Amino acid sequence: MPTINENFLKLEKNYLFINIAKKVNAFLAENPDAPLIRMGIGDVTLPIAPVCVEAMKKGVEEMGVKETFRGYEDSGAGYDFLKEAIAGYYKKFHVSLELDEIRVNDGAKSDCGNIVDIFGNDNVVLITDPAYPVYVDSNKMSGRTVIYVDSNEANGFAARPDPAVHADLIYLCSPNNPTGSAYTRAQLKEWIDYAKINQAIIIYDAAYEAFITDSDVPHSIYEVEGAKECAIEMCSLSKTAGFTGMRCGYTIVPLALHVTASNREDVSIAQIWGRRQGSKFNGVSYPVQCAAAAVFTDEGLKQIHENIAYYQENAAIIAKTMDELRIQYTGGKNSPYIWLKCPNGMSSWELFDYLLYEIAVVGTPGEGFGKNGEGWFRLTAFGDRDRTIEAMERMKKLISK
Amino acid sequence: MPTINENFLKLEKNYLFINIAKKVNAFLAENPDAPLIRMGIGDVTLPIAPVCVEAMKKGVEEMGVKETFRGYEDSGAGYDFLKEAIAGYYKKFHVSLELDEIRVNDGAKSDCGNIVDIFGNDNVVLITDPAYPVYVDSNKMSGRTVIYVDSNEANGFAARPDPAVHADLIYLCSPNNPTGSAYTRAQLKEWIDYAKINQAIIIYDAAYEAFITDSDVPHSIYEVEGAKECAIEMCSLSKTAGFTGMRCGYTIVPLALHVTASNREDVSIAQIWGRRQGSKFNGVSYPVQCAAAAVFTDEGLKQIHENIAYYQENAAIIAKTMDELRIQYTGGKNSPYIWLKCPNGMSSWELFDYLLYEIAVVGTPGEGFGKNGEGWFRLTAFGDRDRTIEAMERMKKLISK
């Protein structure tokens, strides 16, 4: 009989958002007419931009005509037209990328989970807590030792490196999911210095970069000196352009990133990652890549920023409500997330049930993101404007009772 | 410094088809005007069916309108409308599937590579040789012991189980890539009996099922009694409906498939696979799923079978040429591949270079699929009709010289 990978038995039975979906479905079964407002999962609600629709339809039409049909991509790393568009976008942040440093994927979650394949299982993995569950789960699935550094009230939910602790791989997410905090250039430089001292590699999740408004918060870790020698960056169009149902992201592995194998062989991380992807991934749907490239055109950027501005206004409405209710929070600025302290000493899941059953509002319990999330709660600004206002009205009535 | 997964250093430097692409590009750099005919990589050339184009355009339009926009799928396992279409397709083969047994993916290669994550690294993996390189590479990346059973001239390149050998995981591909051989019901029953005696799990790659014409060759392993207790099936729309650039496939894990963990816990393979995918995959692009569902409509099946008939006629033309040249081969029937014995005692790569440099025809050296592939060569029937005929004319002139 085959053995299974028993690391799986040590995980939580379900991925956080699948648990939440189950609880919500149970509530709806009991209360089929409840006017539910979903502010839980970080999913967008505005449609994709018209330029993306047009570009994708054109791509689909090309697939239906012999002369323009496209089969397998040679590399599976993304078409040059899209990689050039991404490189052009980074130029706006004064970051210069070679096309071979970019690999297009079907979303940041896939690469975030799969990148662990190329590293040894003896590495010490450092994750800020609370964090996106995929960082922890994907490493635990490989049986790796995960150590945590605290993001908490004391540091504004923006963990700093601890020189006394050694790590080989470091996960950072800025602007942060779930806490909404965002590292400044100076703070990221501390992490880069720490990585260099430890000869560690940073896996940097920039999925929320499009929400940055502060000029001292970098959009890419490569805006900070030294990052190209120690950091892999992952980004996604899910939040940038509403691609959660379209599925497209990208991973940047600098060509300068090398490690030494036990036989003293110098190993290029980009090459070994390409080897992994060459055997286990076959590229992103061509019409999806057409839509993705359209995001980075002038008109595309204009259109997606209208959507982002809409969500930012939602975030401001939620933040204002928290101010009125004298509820402490981080985020709401540079981020679509508001990370709030549960009122009246409630636990995360108590507040989850309270809001669900009392006012039919779904949020995400902070505890699902790690121990420092206990007593905290995440609301997202990705909803509809009227529903966001309505949810805040309901919260005001409930909590000021 | 992080250690890398050193299993990667033991692999061939490049994935087979990336090596071939490099050699072809080098040839084209020297001979920019060469009238190249590609019969190497198993990539289709006919456009996707009109029903798929229309369904996908409709899906794209829905993504551009707030009321019909779709973000994340709840499960990431595929929309019910597509899973129902797949289950309906299997009913034609008298196979009954629960929707929870089906997970939609971005192509068989991804799941084929990723499924190894859920099994222990101590399993003995049995692979027929020659084989699709992904089976071997993805297991070697995890440091697993791979044993081989020979597909060779003596057994018509259709390996049979050896009762003297124990295995925990068994990879089978029928109709076979690269050899074009296809198991009959009776032959598959031998494998199922062998798997049951060994309490092994079969990972069954049915990617070429749409090319089956013989009535005693099953389209799905589940057509054979007992398979639901021992087999996972993977299939793809890449060859069925020309989706190599569209990216959609599916994996079937029967709910009956269970193993016992070392703590005696009964573990559902479907559940643990769902846990893996829940953390490392976010589902397939909605418009792509719309196109995929259209494949399984009556009109869709009619349209894709016109394309398959075109490729089958190409296969017959190649097979006839081999007959004329008295070159021994398997496949060409139930399969888009013709697996031929290299003439004049040439090695696989010698024939590759010979055909490339003498007549500008690209094939795939059998050696790239395993040791039993040495001295053999794969041609695909996925090309354009005129080019297929032209390539065969060139081969006739060259080889009968």
Side-chain angles (χ1 to χ4, degrees), chain B residues 98-255:
Chain B
E98 308 266 342
L99 295 196
D100 285 347
E101 296 183 310
I102 304 167
R103 290 194 80 94
V104 174
N105 61 40
D106 64 322
K109 194 198 212 180
S110 303
D111 277 12
C112 202
N114 292 333
I115 193 96
V116 301
D117 285 10
I118 66 168
F119 294 105
N121 285 342
D122 53 346
N123 288 297
V124 175
V125 177
L126 186 147
I127 295 177
T128 62
D129 174 307
Y132 181 43
V134 167
Y135 311 151
V136 178
D137 284 0
S138 56
N139 279 289
K140 287 202 170 168
M141 283 174 189
S142 303
R144 288 216 183 89
T145 304
V146 174
I147 59 172
Y148 298 94
V149 50
D150 295 330
S151 292
N152 53 29
E153 228 175 308
N155 57 32
F157 284 99
R160 307 295 158 73
D162 177 354
V165 170
H166 169 76
D168 302 302
L169 294 169
I170 301 161
Y171 285 78
L172 297 178
C173 175
S174 175
N176 190 263
N177 175 14
T179 74
S181 67
Y183 286 124
T184 61
R185 274 181 184 74
Q187 288 170 337
L188 266 187
K189 186 68 171 62
E190 287 176 37
W191 277 109
I192 290 167
D193 292 341
Y194 170 80
K196 293 209 161 173
I197 288 167
N198 283 274
Q199 296 189 288
I201 290 179
I202 295 171
I203 298 172
Y204 190 76
D205 183 345
Y208 298 92
E209 62 81 18
F211 287 83
I212 293 170
T213 48
D214 286 357
S215 61
D216 64 340
V217 173
H219 288 255
S220 161
I221 194 168
Y222 305 120
E223 292 182 52
V224 185
E225 201 199 322
K228 276 237 181 168
E229 290 85 56
C230 67
I232 293 169
E233 181 161 301
M234 298 190 172
C235 199
S236 159
L237 298 182
S238 287
K239 315 302 159 104
T240 301
F243 268 41
T244 51
M246 296 278 279
R247 313 303 320 141
C248 196
Y250 50 88
T251 295
I252 296 163
V253 181
L255 298 179

Side-chain angles (χ1 to χ4, degrees), chain A residues 295-313:
Chain A
V295 169
F296 299 106
T297 59
D298 289 343
E299 182 58 27
L301 290 172
K302 184 172 155 283
Q303 291 179 1
I304 63 157
H305 278 290
E306 284 166 15
N307 289 1
I308 289 168
Y310 179 95
Y311 296 136
Q312 284 167 330
E313 179 63 24

Side-chain angles (χ1 to χ4, degrees), chain A residues 188-257:
Chain A
L188 266 187
K189 186 69 171 63
E190 288 175 37
W191 277 109
I192 291 167
D193 292 343
Y194 170 78
K196 292 207 161 175
I197 288 166
N198 283 275
Q199 297 189 288
I201 290 179
I202 295 172
I203 297 172
Y204 189 76
D205 183 346
Y208 299 92
E209 62 81 18
F211 288 83
I212 292 170
T213 48
D214 286 357
S215 62
D216 64 341
V217 173
H219 288 254
S220 162
I221 194 169
Y222 305 121
E223 292 182 51
V224 186
E225 201 199 322
K228 275 237 182 168
E229 289 85 56
C230 66
I232 292 168
E233 181 162 300
M234 298 190 173
C235 199
S236 160
L237 298 181
S238 286
K239 314 302 157 103
T240 302
F243 269 41
T244 51
M246 297 278 280
R247 313 303 319 140
C248 195
Y250 50 90
T251 295
I252 296 162
V253 181
L255 299 180
L257 215 53

